[in-house]
Amino acid sequence: AYLLTELASKLLVLNVEPSGELRLRETLSTLPDDFDGQSLGGHLELNAAGTKVYASNRGHDSLAVFDVGTDGGLSRYGIYPTFGKSPRHFVLAEDRQAILVAHQNGNTVDVIAMDDGVPGAHLDSCSVQNPAFVGRVPPSRVDHRPPNGRGA
């Protein structure tokens, strides 16, 4: 299991024992080693393939990306800018090769290219007052017909 701490910006790797008990396996920082400032963990997500873990840093304003080893352990791959202030939540839109980030204190939702599983170029931004969550509409719900099927 993976757990993101908010106040310490730490990513914990936990073993789930047969008894159901959680045992701490390792602790990794989501911040650069030389960062000296205030930052909070925001959101944690695993990619669809289960090969990368992503964690947002509110204060450092970044996404930390970790590779998942064959044993479930993690190694930090890199830390990337989110192009806004306080990335509270994000969604991996892997089918679109993008990451959508809700910047709570920046009042924007930003779209970042996903290149080989890591954040890349800033693609777009829209103004939204204090966004705290961004979600996806399932493809089956995007046919623009009302539930009664009679058209618009």
Side-chain angles (χ1 to χ4, degrees), residues 92-145:
L92 303 174
E94 293 177 80
D95 59 327
R96 304 280 180 144
Q97 297 180 356
I99 303 169
L100 287 80
V101 183
H103 289 105
Q104 186 174 21
N105 296 340
N107 299 315
T108 62
V109 173
D110 292 87
V111 182
I112 302 169
M114 183 185 287
D115 301 320
D116 289 329
V118 297
H122 184 257
L123 299 176
D124 201 2
S125 183
C126 70
S127 293
V128 179
Q129 189 65 36
N130 302 109
F133 177 84
V134 60
R136 292 194 67 174
V137 177
S140 63
R141 303 293 242 158
V142 188
D143 72 7
H144 306 291
R145 286 182 291 167

Side-chain angles (χ1 to χ4, degrees), residues 13-124:
V13 179
L14 305 167
N15 283 340
V16 182
E17 302 298 330
S19 65
E21 182 181 343
L22 298 174
R23 186 175 49 84
L24 180 62
R25 180 172 164 183
E26 68 181 311
T27 302
L28 301 128
S29 177
T30 63
L31 297 167
D33 296 336
D34 62 351
F35 180 72
D36 183 28
Q38 188 83 358
S39 193
L40 301 168
H43 178 67
L44 173 73
E45 192 150 336
L46 188 66
N47 70 350
T51 58
K52 291 201 182 319
V53 171
Y54 303 78
S56 62
N57 293 306
R58 297 178 291 141
H60 186 259
D61 301 332
S62 62
L63 281 177
V65 180
F66 297 83
D67 281 326
V68 178
T70 56
D71 63 351
L74 299 177
S75 59
R76 191 166 65 194
Y77 185 84
I79 299 174
Y80 303 87
T82 60
F83 305 99
K85 188 174 180 184
S86 193
R88 179 75 180 190
H89 189 266
F90 60 91
V91 65
L92 303 174
E94 293 177 80
D95 59 327
R96 304 280 180 144
Q97 297 180 356
I99 303 169
L100 287 80
V101 183
H103 289 105
Q104 186 174 21
N105 296 340
N107 299 315
T108 62
V109 173
D110 292 87
V111 182
I112 302 169
M114 183 185 287
D115 301 320
D116 289 329
V118 297
H122 184 257
L123 299 176
D124 201 2

